[in-house]
Amino acid sequence: MRIATSMLITAGLVVTLAACSPASPDAGSADCTPTPSGKISDAVKVTGDFGSKPTVVFDSPTSAKSTERSVAIKGDGDTALEGDTVSVQFSIFNGATGDSIPGTDYTDATLTPFPLTSDLLPGFVKTLQCSTVGSRVVGVIPPVDSFGEAGSTASGIEPGQDIILVADIVSIEAATPSAAPADPPLPKANGTDQPATEGFPTVVLADDGRPTVTITDAAPPTELKIALLKKGDGAVVPAASDVIVHYEGINWNTKKIFDESWARGKPSPFNTAQVISGFTKALEGQTVGSQVIVIIPPADGYGAAGQPDAGIGGTDTLVFVVDILGLG
């Protein structure tokens, strides 16, 4: 979705840049005990101001036994607790190769909310939880706390490879225990099958709902196109709302998958106001339980700049198949 932003060091290298001072210790708060730092996370050198894209240098490959968390910049704002949603700018790297993985571009448009719940990768929660607003934190995340032994083809993470996360904690939305709990998300879209729409790729579903998408060699449409594959009878997705979805993104031009939640083995939570406009338009107004297919031209995607880290050129058209599994 937001493929994003991201990051860049040459594979397997140690860049000779000025290193920042050692990460500051973080005692957390009375309500939160942070994940401890380690030799690997302390050795990740991060320079640059909070809120701007950092320069990140580390020796690769890394091989963390458990998630390590260090603090490069210590903020003095509120502390992120379990269940809160933190809005962050972030950069990610493959710990084995040093390659960048899409993150954010440190503009208001790419500020990303992460709910500190079981819906997020455990290593991300361990890195972000107990951080204070204004902090820049570094997480070295092993497979056991990320994509396991399967890795993630869409993210460029092979089995056994660490993830390096550098995140700026911009704001926190505290959990509201008094609110009524949201319905648990569906395992897959359970709506009524809809007739195929002419001009769209074909979609075949596995038993677990994972799609196989076949795109013809025809030229893609030049305008945004949205169709329903399944019509759910759940709640309507409001504007700028938190949703839980499974999704697969394919580049029409290259026929390659560039991102998918199914490969990670769990659905993804995000806010519909925090993704590319074509994805927003595809989901808002739909119903939980629905499966949507959307064809997104560059104007509603990543524009003329594309997303080179994800293999998306400035003229590439995108296709997403999305299962809307829940709200909140």
PDB file of all heavy atoms in Angstrom, residues 159-195:
ATOM      1  N   PRO A 159      13.995 -16.063   4.453  1.00  0.00           N
ATOM      2  CA  PRO A 159      13.998 -16.776   5.731  1.00  0.00           C
ATOM      3  C   PRO A 159      15.301 -16.570   6.499  1.00  0.00           C
ATOM      4  O   PRO A 159      16.392 -16.613   5.921  1.00  0.00           O
ATOM      5  CB  PRO A 159      13.831 -18.242   5.309  1.00  0.00           C
ATOM      6  CG  PRO A 159      13.085 -18.168   4.010  1.00  0.00           C
ATOM      7  CD  PRO A 159      13.611 -16.940   3.326  1.00  0.00           C
ATOM      8  N   GLY A 160      15.161 -16.307   7.800  1.00  0.00           N
ATOM      9  CA  GLY A 160      16.336 -16.168   8.649  1.00  0.00           C
ATOM     10  C   GLY A 160      16.951 -14.784   8.690  1.00  0.00           C
ATOM     11  O   GLY A 160      17.961 -14.590   9.382  1.00  0.00           O
ATOM     12  N   GLN A 161      16.360 -13.795   8.011  1.00  0.00           N
ATOM     13  CA  GLN A 161      16.961 -12.461   7.962  1.00  0.00           C
ATOM     14  C   GLN A 161      16.305 -11.517   8.965  1.00  0.00           C
ATOM     15  O   GLN A 161      15.090 -11.519   9.137  1.00  0.00           O
ATOM     16  CB  GLN A 161      16.845 -11.879   6.548  1.00  0.00           C
ATOM     17  CG  GLN A 161      17.673 -12.635   5.521  1.00  0.00           C
ATOM     18  CD  GLN A 161      17.583 -12.043   4.130  1.00  0.00           C
ATOM     19  OE1 GLN A 161      16.583 -11.424   3.760  1.00  0.00           O
ATOM     20  NE2 GLN A 161      18.630 -12.222   3.346  1.00  0.00           N
ATOM     21  N   ASP A 162      17.151 -10.703   9.626  1.00  0.00           N
ATOM     22  CA  ASP A 162      16.667  -9.679  10.559  1.00  0.00           C
ATOM     23  C   ASP A 162      16.071  -8.495   9.807  1.00  0.00           C
ATOM     24  O   ASP A 162      16.331  -8.278   8.616  1.00  0.00           O
ATOM     25  CB  ASP A 162      17.821  -9.137  11.415  1.00  0.00           C
ATOM     26  CG  ASP A 162      18.344 -10.149  12.418  1.00  0.00           C
ATOM     27  OD1 ASP A 162      17.734 -11.215  12.583  1.00  0.00           O
ATOM     28  OD2 ASP A 162      19.390  -9.851  13.040  1.00  0.00           O
ATOM     29  N   ILE A 163      15.298  -7.686  10.549  1.00  0.00           N
ATOM     30  CA  ILE A 163      14.820  -6.389  10.083  1.00  0.00           C
ATOM     31  C   ILE A 163      15.408  -5.314  10.990  1.00  0.00           C
ATOM     32  O   ILE A 163      15.448  -5.480  12.217  1.00  0.00           O
ATOM     33  CB  ILE A 163      13.285  -6.305  10.130  1.00  0.00           C
ATOM     34  CG1 ILE A 163      12.644  -7.279   9.137  1.00  0.00           C
ATOM     35  CG2 ILE A 163      12.794  -4.887   9.848  1.00  0.00           C
ATOM     36  CD1 ILE A 163      11.139  -7.377   9.283  1.00  0.00           C
ATOM     37  N   ILE A 164      15.871  -4.213  10.411  1.00  0.00           N
ATOM     38  CA  ILE A 164      16.293  -3.040  11.174  1.00  0.00           C
ATOM     39  C   ILE A 164      15.222  -1.967  10.990  1.00  0.00           C
ATOM     40  O   ILE A 164      14.937  -1.554   9.871  1.00  0.00           O
ATOM     41  CB  ILE A 164      17.650  -2.494  10.688  1.00  0.00           C
ATOM     42  CG1 ILE A 164      18.700  -3.605  10.618  1.00  0.00           C
ATOM     43  CG2 ILE A 164      18.110  -1.341  11.582  1.00  0.00           C
ATOM     44  CD1 ILE A 164      19.039  -4.242  11.934  1.00  0.00           C
ATOM     45  N   LEU A 165      14.617  -1.532  12.091  1.00  0.00           N
ATOM     46  CA  LEU A 165      13.582  -0.492  12.064  1.00  0.00           C
ATOM     47  C   LEU A 165      14.101   0.754  12.760  1.00  0.00           C
ATOM     48  O   LEU A 165      14.597   0.674  13.887  1.00  0.00           O
ATOM     49  CB  LEU A 165      12.323  -0.991  12.771  1.00  0.00           C
ATOM     50  CG  LEU A 165      11.223   0.044  13.045  1.00  0.00           C
ATOM     51  CD1 LEU A 165      10.600   0.537  11.753  1.00  0.00           C
ATOM     52  CD2 LEU A 165      10.151  -0.540  13.974  1.00  0.00           C
ATOM     53  N   VAL A 166      14.010   1.902  12.092  1.00  0.00           N
ATOM     54  CA  VAL A 166      14.321   3.194  12.694  1.00  0.00           C
ATOM     55  C   VAL A 166      13.041   4.024  12.627  1.00  0.00           C
ATOM     56  O   VAL A 166      12.534   4.299  11.532  1.00  0.00           O
ATOM     57  CB  VAL A 166      15.471   3.905  11.967  1.00  0.00           C
ATOM     58  CG1 VAL A 166      15.750   5.271  12.599  1.00  0.00           C
ATOM     59  CG2 VAL A 166      16.734   3.042  11.990  1.00  0.00           C
ATOM     60  N   ALA A 167      12.498   4.408  13.775  1.00  0.00           N
ATOM     61  CA  ALA A 167      11.186   5.062  13.803  1.00  0.00           C
ATOM     62  C   ALA A 167      11.212   6.327  14.646  1.00  0.00           C
ATOM     63  O   ALA A 167      11.783   6.347  15.741  1.00  0.00           O
ATOM     64  CB  ALA A 167      10.131   4.100  14.356  1.00  0.00           C
ATOM     65  N   ASP A 168      10.601   7.385  14.121  1.00  0.00           N
ATOM     66  CA  ASP A 168      10.390   8.636  14.854  1.00  0.00           C
ATOM     67  C   ASP A 168       8.964   8.646  15.407  1.00  0.00           C
ATOM     68  O   ASP A 168       7.996   8.540  14.632  1.00  0.00           O
ATOM     69  CB  ASP A 168      10.581   9.841  13.936  1.00  0.00           C
ATOM     70  CG  ASP A 168      12.039  10.071  13.559  1.00  0.00           C
ATOM     71  OD1 ASP A 168      12.890   9.245  13.937  1.00  0.00           O
ATOM     72  OD2 ASP A 168      12.315  11.073  12.863  1.00  0.00           O
ATOM     73  N   ILE A 169       8.831   8.772  16.721  1.00  0.00           N
ATOM     74  CA  ILE A 169       7.508   8.766  17.358  1.00  0.00           C
ATOM     75  C   ILE A 169       6.966  10.184  17.339  1.00  0.00           C
ATOM     76  O   ILE A 169       7.377  11.047  18.118  1.00  0.00           O
ATOM     77  CB  ILE A 169       7.594   8.251  18.808  1.00  0.00           C
ATOM     78  CG1 ILE A 169       8.457   6.987  18.901  1.00  0.00           C
ATOM     79  CG2 ILE A 169       6.200   8.015  19.357  1.00  0.00           C
ATOM     80  CD1 ILE A 169       7.987   5.834  18.062  1.00  0.00           C
ATOM     81  N   VAL A 170       6.020  10.447  16.444  1.00  0.00           N
ATOM     82  CA  VAL A 170       5.516  11.807  16.236  1.00  0.00           C
ATOM     83  C   VAL A 170       4.355  12.122  17.173  1.00  0.00           C
ATOM     84  O   VAL A 170       4.259  13.222  17.712  1.00  0.00           O
ATOM     85  CB  VAL A 170       5.097  12.001  14.767  1.00  0.00           C
ATOM     86  CG1 VAL A 170       4.504  13.393  14.544  1.00  0.00           C
ATOM     87  CG2 VAL A 170       6.290  11.776  13.838  1.00  0.00           C
ATOM     88  N   SER A 171       3.458  11.167  17.381  1.00  0.00           N
ATOM     89  CA  SER A 171       2.314  11.407  18.253  1.00  0.00           C
ATOM     90  C   SER A 171       1.762  10.077  18.733  1.00  0.00           C
ATOM     91  O   SER A 171       2.101   9.014  18.188  1.00  0.00           O
ATOM     92  CB  SER A 171       1.222  12.212  17.541  1.00  0.00           C
ATOM     93  OG  SER A 171       0.709  11.484  16.431  1.00  0.00           O
ATOM     94  N   ILE A 172       0.915  10.139  19.752  1.00  0.00           N
ATOM     95  CA  ILE A 172       0.307   8.943  20.326  1.00  0.00           C
ATOM     96  C   ILE A 172      -1.179   9.199  20.520  1.00  0.00           C
ATOM     97  O   ILE A 172      -1.585  10.249  21.029  1.00  0.00           O
ATOM     98  CB  ILE A 172       0.932   8.590  21.687  1.00  0.00           C
ATOM     99  CG1 ILE A 172       2.418   8.262  21.536  1.00  0.00           C
ATOM    100  CG2 ILE A 172       0.199   7.425  22.348  1.00  0.00           C
ATOM    101  CD1 ILE A 172       3.144   8.121  22.861  1.00  0.00           C
ATOM    102  N   GLU A 173      -1.983   8.237  20.109  1.00  0.00           N
ATOM    103  CA  GLU A 173      -3.407   8.247  20.432  1.00  0.00           C
ATOM    104  C   GLU A 173      -3.631   7.157  21.470  1.00  0.00           C
ATOM    105  O   GLU A 173      -3.453   5.964  21.184  1.00  0.00           O
ATOM    106  CB  GLU A 173      -4.258   7.981  19.198  1.00  0.00           C
ATOM    107  CG  GLU A 173      -5.754   7.998  19.483  1.00  0.00           C
ATOM    108  CD  GLU A 173      -6.590   7.722  18.248  1.00  0.00           C
ATOM    109  OE1 GLU A 173      -6.026   7.776  17.131  1.00  0.00           O
ATOM    110  OE2 GLU A 173      -7.787   7.442  18.396  1.00  0.00           O
ATOM    111  N   ALA A 174      -3.977   7.557  22.674  1.00  0.00           N
ATOM    112  CA  ALA A 174      -4.112   6.606  23.766  1.00  0.00           C
ATOM    113  C   ALA A 174      -5.291   5.676  23.541  1.00  0.00           C
ATOM    114  O   ALA A 174      -6.313   6.053  22.946  1.00  0.00           O
ATOM    115  CB  ALA A 174      -4.269   7.342  25.094  1.00  0.00           C
ATOM    116  N   ALA A 175      -5.143   4.447  24.003  1.00  0.00           N
ATOM    117  CA  ALA A 175      -6.235   3.487  23.941  1.00  0.00           C
ATOM    118  C   ALA A 175      -7.389   3.968  24.813  1.00  0.00           C
ATOM    119  O   ALA A 175      -7.196   4.686  25.789  1.00  0.00           O
ATOM    120  CB  ALA A 175      -5.758   2.120  24.415  1.00  0.00           C
ATOM    121  N   THR A 176      -8.591   3.587  24.452  1.00  0.00           N
ATOM    122  CA  THR A 176      -9.778   3.983  25.211  1.00  0.00           C
ATOM    123  C   THR A 176     -10.454   2.722  25.749  1.00  0.00           C
ATOM    124  O   THR A 176     -11.311   2.136  25.090  1.00  0.00           O
ATOM    125  CB  THR A 176     -10.759   4.767  24.324  1.00  0.00           C
ATOM    126  OG1 THR A 176     -11.033   3.995  23.136  1.00  0.00           O
ATOM    127  CG2 THR A 176     -10.152   6.086  23.890  1.00  0.00           C
ATOM    128  N   PRO A 177     -10.080   2.287  26.942  1.00  0.00           N
ATOM    129  CA  PRO A 177     -10.614   1.043  27.486  1.00  0.00           C
ATOM    130  C   PRO A 177     -12.138   1.027  27.617  1.00  0.00           C
ATOM    131  O   PRO A 177     -12.751  -0.025  27.601  1.00  0.00           O
ATOM    132  CB  PRO A 177      -9.959   0.959  28.870  1.00  0.00           C
ATOM    133  CG  PRO A 177      -8.752   1.830  28.781  1.00  0.00           C
ATOM    134  CD  PRO A 177      -9.116   2.928  27.836  1.00  0.00           C
ATOM    135  N   SER A 178     -12.737   2.203  27.763  1.00  0.00           N
ATOM    136  CA  SER A 178     -14.178   2.237  27.957  1.00  0.00           C
ATOM    137  C   SER A 178     -14.955   2.012  26.674  1.00  0.00           C
ATOM    138  O   SER A 178     -16.155   1.770  26.698  1.00  0.00           O
ATOM    139  CB  SER A 178     -14.587   3.593  28.546  1.00  0.00           C
ATOM    140  OG  SER A 178     -14.201   4.653  27.687  1.00  0.00           O
ATOM    141  N   ALA A 179     -14.266   2.129  25.542  1.00  0.00           N
ATOM    142  CA  ALA A 179     -14.958   1.953  24.264  1.00  0.00           C
ATOM    143  C   ALA A 179     -15.378   0.497  24.096  1.00  0.00           C
ATOM    144  O   ALA A 179     -14.719  -0.424  24.560  1.00  0.00           O
ATOM    145  CB  ALA A 179     -14.057   2.380  23.118  1.00  0.00           C
ATOM    146  N   ALA A 180     -16.482   0.288  23.406  1.00  0.00           N
ATOM    147  CA  ALA A 180     -16.931  -1.071  23.135  1.00  0.00           C
ATOM    148  C   ALA A 180     -15.924  -1.773  22.236  1.00  0.00           C
ATOM    149  O   ALA A 180     -15.418  -1.183  21.278  1.00  0.00           O
ATOM    150  CB  ALA A 180     -18.295  -1.028  22.444  1.00  0.00           C
ATOM    151  N   PRO A 181     -15.587  -3.015  22.533  1.00  0.00           N
ATOM    152  CA  PRO A 181     -14.602  -3.713  21.712  1.00  0.00           C
ATOM    153  C   PRO A 181     -15.108  -3.926  20.295  1.00  0.00           C
ATOM    154  O   PRO A 181     -16.298  -4.168  20.076  1.00  0.00           O
ATOM    155  CB  PRO A 181     -14.424  -5.056  22.445  1.00  0.00           C
ATOM    156  CG  PRO A 181     -15.691  -5.234  23.236  1.00  0.00           C
ATOM    157  CD  PRO A 181     -16.118  -3.856  23.617  1.00  0.00           C
ATOM    158  N   ALA A 182     -14.186  -3.830  19.351  1.00  0.00           N
ATOM    159  CA  ALA A 182     -14.554  -4.066  17.958  1.00  0.00           C
ATOM    160  C   ALA A 182     -14.783  -5.555  17.743  1.00  0.00           C
ATOM    161  O   ALA A 182     -14.235  -6.401  18.447  1.00  0.00           O
ATOM    162  CB  ALA A 182     -13.443  -3.568  17.040  1.00  0.00           C
ATOM    163  N   ASP A 183     -15.632  -5.892  16.781  1.00  0.00           N
ATOM    164  CA  ASP A 183     -15.814  -7.293  16.428  1.00  0.00           C
ATOM    165  C   ASP A 183     -14.491  -7.865  15.937  1.00  0.00           C
ATOM    166  O   ASP A 183     -13.711  -7.169  15.275  1.00  0.00           O
ATOM    167  CB  ASP A 183     -16.861  -7.416  15.331  1.00  0.00           C
ATOM    168  CG  ASP A 183     -18.255  -7.042  15.809  1.00  0.00           C
ATOM    169  OD1 ASP A 183     -18.520  -7.196  17.017  1.00  0.00           O
ATOM    170  OD2 ASP A 183     -19.063  -6.589  14.980  1.00  0.00           O
ATOM    171  N   PRO A 184     -14.211  -9.131  16.250  1.00  0.00           N
ATOM    172  CA  PRO A 184     -12.960  -9.722  15.754  1.00  0.00           C
ATOM    173  C   PRO A 184     -12.963  -9.754  14.232  1.00  0.00           C
ATOM    174  O   PRO A 184     -14.020  -9.919  13.606  1.00  0.00           O
ATOM    175  CB  PRO A 184     -12.979 -11.135  16.349  1.00  0.00           C
ATOM    176  CG  PRO A 184     -14.421 -11.404  16.666  1.00  0.00           C
ATOM    177  CD  PRO A 184     -15.011 -10.085  17.022  1.00  0.00           C
ATOM    178  N   PRO A 185     -11.798  -9.575  13.616  1.00  0.00           N
ATOM    179  CA  PRO A 185     -11.758  -9.562  12.161  1.00  0.00           C
ATOM    180  C   PRO A 185     -12.092 -10.928  11.577  1.00  0.00           C
ATOM    181  O   PRO A 185     -11.856 -11.967  12.200  1.00  0.00           O
ATOM    182  CB  PRO A 185     -10.311  -9.159  11.847  1.00  0.00           C
ATOM    183  CG  PRO A 185      -9.539  -9.543  13.067  1.00  0.00           C
ATOM    184  CD  PRO A 185     -10.476  -9.345  14.222  1.00  0.00           C
ATOM    185  N   LEU A 186     -12.649 -10.919  10.395  1.00  0.00           N
ATOM    186  CA  LEU A 186     -12.915 -12.154   9.663  1.00  0.00           C
ATOM    187  C   LEU A 186     -11.597 -12.769   9.204  1.00  0.00           C
ATOM    188  O   LEU A 186     -10.618 -12.061   8.973  1.00  0.00           O
ATOM    189  CB  LEU A 186     -13.782 -11.857   8.439  1.00  0.00           C
ATOM    190  CG  LEU A 186     -15.147 -11.208   8.686  1.00  0.00           C
ATOM    191  CD1 LEU A 186     -15.738 -10.721   7.354  1.00  0.00           C
ATOM    192  CD2 LEU A 186     -16.089 -12.192   9.362  1.00  0.00           C
ATOM    193  N   PRO A 187     -11.534 -14.088   9.018  1.00  0.00           N
ATOM    194  CA  PRO A 187     -10.309 -14.684   8.465  1.00  0.00           C
ATOM    195  C   PRO A 187     -10.134 -14.420   6.973  1.00  0.00           C
ATOM    196  O   PRO A 187      -9.017 -14.399   6.462  1.00  0.00           O
ATOM    197  CB  PRO A 187     -10.500 -16.178   8.750  1.00  0.00           C
ATOM    198  CG  PRO A 187     -11.982 -16.364   8.841  1.00  0.00           C
ATOM    199  CD  PRO A 187     -12.515 -15.089   9.438  1.00  0.00           C
ATOM    200  N   LYS A 188     -11.256 -14.214   6.280  1.00  0.00           N
ATOM    201  CA  LYS A 188     -11.217 -13.889   4.855  1.00  0.00           C
ATOM    202  C   LYS A 188     -12.565 -13.283   4.484  1.00  0.00           C
ATOM    203  O   LYS A 188     -13.529 -13.370   5.266  1.00  0.00           O
ATOM    204  CB  LYS A 188     -10.937 -15.132   4.004  1.00  0.00           C
ATOM    205  CG  LYS A 188     -11.991 -16.222   4.122  1.00  0.00           C
ATOM    206  CD  LYS A 188     -11.629 -17.437   3.278  1.00  0.00           C
ATOM    207  CE  LYS A 188     -12.696 -18.533   3.411  1.00  0.00           C
ATOM    208  NZ  LYS A 188     -12.360 -19.719   2.583  1.00  0.00           N
ATOM    209  N   ALA A 189     -12.632 -12.648   3.336  1.00  0.00           N
ATOM    210  CA  ALA A 189     -13.899 -12.056   2.891  1.00  0.00           C
ATOM    211  C   ALA A 189     -14.947 -13.159   2.772  1.00  0.00           C
ATOM    212  O   ALA A 189     -14.697 -14.208   2.180  1.00  0.00           O
ATOM    213  CB  ALA A 189     -13.706 -11.340   1.560  1.00  0.00           C
ATOM    214  N   ASN A 190     -16.131 -12.912   3.342  1.00  0.00           N
ATOM    215  CA  ASN A 190     -17.182 -13.935   3.357  1.00  0.00           C
ATOM    216  C   ASN A 190     -18.448 -13.479   2.648  1.00  0.00           C
ATOM    217  O   ASN A 190     -19.516 -14.064   2.833  1.00  0.00           O
ATOM    218  CB  ASN A 190     -17.504 -14.340   4.793  1.00  0.00           C
ATOM    219  CG  ASN A 190     -18.081 -13.191   5.623  1.00  0.00           C
ATOM    220  OD1 ASN A 190     -18.150 -12.056   5.136  1.00  0.00           O
ATOM    221  ND2 ASN A 190     -18.475 -13.470   6.856  1.00  0.00           N
ATOM    222  N   GLY A 191     -18.320 -12.426   1.831  1.00  0.00           N
ATOM    223  CA  GLY A 191     -19.486 -11.886   1.153  1.00  0.00           C
ATOM    224  C   GLY A 191     -19.959 -12.756   0.002  1.00  0.00           C
ATOM    225  O   GLY A 191     -19.361 -13.786  -0.334  1.00  0.00           O
ATOM    226  N   THR A 192     -21.039 -12.320  -0.614  1.00  0.00           N
ATOM    227  CA  THR A 192     -21.639 -13.029  -1.741  1.00  0.00           C
ATOM    228  C   THR A 192     -20.842 -12.762  -3.013  1.00  0.00           C
ATOM    229  O   THR A 192     -20.517 -11.613  -3.328  1.00  0.00           O
ATOM    230  CB  THR A 192     -23.091 -12.569  -1.937  1.00  0.00           C
ATOM    231  OG1 THR A 192     -23.817 -12.784  -0.720  1.00  0.00           O
ATOM    232  CG2 THR A 192     -23.755 -13.324  -3.076  1.00  0.00           C
ATOM    233  N   ASP A 193     -20.529 -13.833  -3.745  1.00  0.00           N
ATOM    234  CA  ASP A 193     -19.782 -13.693  -5.003  1.00  0.00           C
ATOM    235  C   ASP A 193     -20.544 -12.789  -5.976  1.00  0.00           C
ATOM    236  O   ASP A 193     -21.775 -12.874  -6.098  1.00  0.00           O
ATOM    237  CB  ASP A 193     -19.566 -15.055  -5.662  1.00  0.00           C
ATOM    238  CG  ASP A 193     -18.588 -15.923  -4.883  1.00  0.00           C
ATOM    239  OD1 ASP A 193     -17.799 -15.364  -4.110  1.00  0.00           O
ATOM    240  OD2 ASP A 193     -18.617 -17.158  -5.049  1.00  0.00           O
ATOM    241  N   GLN A 194     -19.806 -11.936  -6.652  1.00  0.00           N
ATOM    242  CA  GLN A 194     -20.378 -11.005  -7.621  1.00  0.00           C
ATOM    243  C   GLN A 194     -19.963 -11.386  -9.041  1.00  0.00           C
ATOM    244  O   GLN A 194     -18.901 -11.997  -9.240  1.00  0.00           O
ATOM    245  CB  GLN A 194     -19.907  -9.584  -7.313  1.00  0.00           C
ATOM    246  CG  GLN A 194     -20.271  -9.095  -5.920  1.00  0.00           C
ATOM    247  CD  GLN A 194     -21.762  -9.002  -5.699  1.00  0.00           C
ATOM    248  OE1 GLN A 194     -22.449  -8.222  -6.358  1.00  0.00           O
ATOM    249  NE2 GLN A 194     -22.291  -9.813  -4.775  1.00  0.00           N
ATOM    250  N   PRO A 195     -20.773 -11.041 -10.022  1.00  0.00           N
ATOM    251  CA  PRO A 195     -20.392 -11.345 -11.410  1.00  0.00           C
ATOM    252  C   PRO A 195     -19.078 -10.658 -11.787  1.00  0.00           C
ATOM    253  O   PRO A 195     -18.783  -9.556 -11.306  1.00  0.00           O
ATOM    254  CB  PRO A 195     -21.563 -10.778 -12.225  1.00  0.00           C
ATOM    255  CG  PRO A 195     -22.702 -10.671 -11.260  1.00  0.00           C
ATOM    256  CD  PRO A 195     -22.090 -10.387  -9.930  1.00  0.00           C
TER     257      PRO A 195
END
